[in-house]
Amino acid sequence: MAYLLFKTIISAVIIVAVSEVSKRSSLLGAILASLPLVSYLGIIWLYIDTESKTQVAQLSRDVFWMVIPSLSFFIVLPVLLKTELNFYLSLAISTAIMVAVYFTMIFILQRFGVNI
């Protein structure tokens, strides 16, 4: 239980740090947010929990492939916001597009024999 609480606190601290740093500097906030901290922590937690290098390698490979579709969110959101569309609607549309791109990426990878 203490370990789960520790993981939760560390994760929350990172999210708050990104939010607070972004208030002062969008560039520094973007740099912090773009670091693969979630992946890094997830890899560490997975290894501590399983001690499986195979599972860590698989997660790392899968994260690589899934970063590509996640970029669609960061392309679409600012475009929608510049059109004066409501923030929450822009967020929802960007998320829906990102999810569609995820499924498309998985489909394409499977067609090329890459199993995710």
Side-chain angles (χ1 to χ4, degrees), residues 60-82:
S60 180
R61 185 181 69 90
D62 292 349
V63 167
F64 167 78
W65 287 113
M66 293 300 103
V67 163
I68 297 167
S70 72
L71 296 176
S72 66
F73 176 85
F74 299 104
I75 294 168
V76 174
L77 182 62
V79 169
L80 293 176
L81 291 173
K82 284 183 182 178

Side-chain angles (χ1 to χ4, degrees), residues 38-102:
V38 172
S39 300
Y40 190 78
L41 288 173
I43 286 167
I44 291 170
W45 303 147
L46 179 62
Y47 184 75
I48 289 171
D49 292 346
T50 66
E51 294 187 12
S52 170
K53 290 189 258 180
T54 302
Q55 284 183 309
V56 168
Q58 181 69 37
L59 175 61
S60 180
R61 185 181 69 90
D62 292 349
V63 167
F64 167 78
W65 287 113
M66 293 300 103
V67 163
I68 297 167
S70 72
L71 296 176
S72 66
F73 176 85
F74 299 104
I75 294 168
V76 174
L77 182 62
V79 169
L80 293 176
L81 291 173
K82 284 183 182 178
T83 67
E84 300 298 322
L85 198 59
N86 174 283
F87 170 77
Y88 294 106
L89 182 57
S90 298
L91 192 65
I93 292 169
S94 299
T95 301
I97 290 170
M98 178 184 63
V99 169
V101 176
Y102 272 121

Side-chain angles (χ1 to χ4, degrees), residues 14 17-18 21-22 25-38:
I14 290 169
V18 169
V21 168
S22 295
S25 168
S26 62
L27 176 60
L28 289 177
I31 290 169
L32 186 58
S34 69
L35 294 172
L37 295 172
V38 172

Side-chain angles (χ1 to χ4, degrees), residues 92-111:
I93 292 169
S94 299
T95 301
I97 290 170
M98 178 184 63
V99 169
V101 176
Y102 272 121
F103 282 110
T104 302
M105 181 66 148
I106 291 167
F107 175 77
I108 290 168
L109 288 172
Q110 287 176 342
R111 299 278 285 177

